[in-house]
Amino acid sequence: MMAAARMLRRGQSRATGVGSWGNGEEPAPPGNQEVAAESRKSHRPVKRQRKAQRLHVAYEDSHGEKSEGAEPLAVTVWEPQDWCQQLANIRTMRNRKDAPVDQLGAEHCCDPSAPPKSKVKFIKQTSAILQQRYDGDIPASLAELVALPGVGPKMAHLAMAVAWGTVSGIVDTHVHRIANRLRWTRRMTKSPEETRAALEEWLPRELWHEINGLLVGFGQQICLPIHPRCQACLNQALCPAAQSL
């Protein structure tokens, strides 16, 4: 009887597919779907976690002060070779201050080739505009000055410097010529306005006021437009143009 009861319970267990781990009986074998799921799981690639990269960002606030803990920004600015020594030599050659620009001032170095009738026309138009819009005074901004009839960038920059004491840029045909001879521009420029923009990219702003009168007198006495006096120039060995003359 006991053997028959055990056989009966064993047969019921196999029929239902339920095993008892606690009683020492083996569990029912897994079905086909379970086997396939386990196979896919075992072949699933293991994802590796990427290491987070730390970015160091340096920034400035609205007042131009670097924030605490920020790294300094690395800014590469092009500048011509030997320009500091060239500038020092020009200062030495101009220490007597006896060029025409020193006696008259840059504001008096007008364009003598301009027709007198054209000058009168512009003067009349500009005078009327100044009386109507500026109460007889002149504008205090570069944009308003160049908008006046007959006033170009050169005269506007000079007016800002002389009338308002504001250095707004570097101007003059002498500066244009000398800057190209000394290679103070990254590439050769074709106009004084192009030269002004090229110089202002790298020349420290505190030198803008000095450089205009300095180079104008230097161009009037030594670095002449035609037949420059290179033999008398302290920059002869440092000037690329002098090597080709």
Side-chain angles (χ1 to χ4, degrees), residues 2-69:
M2 294 293 293
R6 286 196 297 270
M7 292 178 65
L8 180 61
R9 287 196 300 270
R10 189 174 299 172
Q12 292 176 350
S13 175
R14 290 177 178 176
T16 58
V18 178
S20 174
W21 288 73
N23 295 331
E25 295 180 0
E26 297 180 358
N32 293 335
Q33 295 181 353
E34 296 178 1
V35 172
E38 290 294 331
S39 177
R40 289 195 299 268
K41 185 177 180 181
S42 62
H43 289 83
R44 186 177 301 169
V46 179
K47 294 184 178 180
R48 296 182 179 179
Q49 294 182 350
R50 295 182 178 180
K51 294 183 179 180
Q53 297 181 353
R54 299 181 60 185
L55 298 178
H56 300 279
V57 180
Y59 59 93
E60 296 182 355
D61 59 19
S62 59
H63 299 288
E65 297 179 356
K66 290 184 172 61
S67 300
E68 184 177 357

Side-chain angles (χ1 to χ4, degrees), residues 99-111:
V101 69
D102 300 314
Q103 307 300 323
L104 298 175
E107 64 273 19
H108 295 288
C109 297
C110 59
D111 183 7

Side-chain angles (χ1 to χ4, degrees), residues 75-79 186 201-203:
V75 179
T76 302
V77 178
W78 177 90
E79 60 180 28
R186 188 174 298 189
E201 287 182 356
W202 66 268
L203 189 68

Side-chain angles (χ1 to χ4, degrees), residues 139-176:
S141 71
L142 191 67
E144 291 176 298
L145 285 169
V146 296
L148 296 173
V151 178
K154 174 181 177 179
M155 184 55 63
H157 286 295
L158 289 175
M160 290 296 295
V162 176
W164 298 109
T166 301
V167 180
S168 58
I170 306 167
V171 291
D172 201 87
T173 54
H174 291 286
V175 177
H176 167 61

Side-chain angles (χ1 to χ4, degrees), residues 182-200:
L182 293 175
R183 302 297 188 268
W184 279 11
T185 57
R186 188 174 298 189
R187 58 188 63 85
M188 298 295 288
T189 54
K190 299 180 180 180
S191 66
E193 183 62 19
E194 187 180 353
T195 302
R196 179 194 64 79
L199 287 175
E200 291 175 4

Side-chain angles (χ1 to χ4, degrees), residues 186-228:
R186 188 174 298 189
R187 58 188 63 85
M188 298 295 288
T189 54
K190 299 180 180 180
S191 66
E193 183 62 19
E194 187 180 353
T195 302
R196 179 194 64 79
L199 287 175
E200 291 175 4
E201 287 182 356
W202 66 268
L203 189 68
R205 191 177 182 88
E206 59 268 19
L207 296 177
W208 289 8
H209 181 71
E210 176 194 15
I211 206 70
N212 198 65
L214 192 68
L215 294 188
V216 169
F218 178 62
Q220 292 173 340
Q221 293 181 311
I222 297 178
C223 196
L224 306 175
I226 302 176
H227 305 302

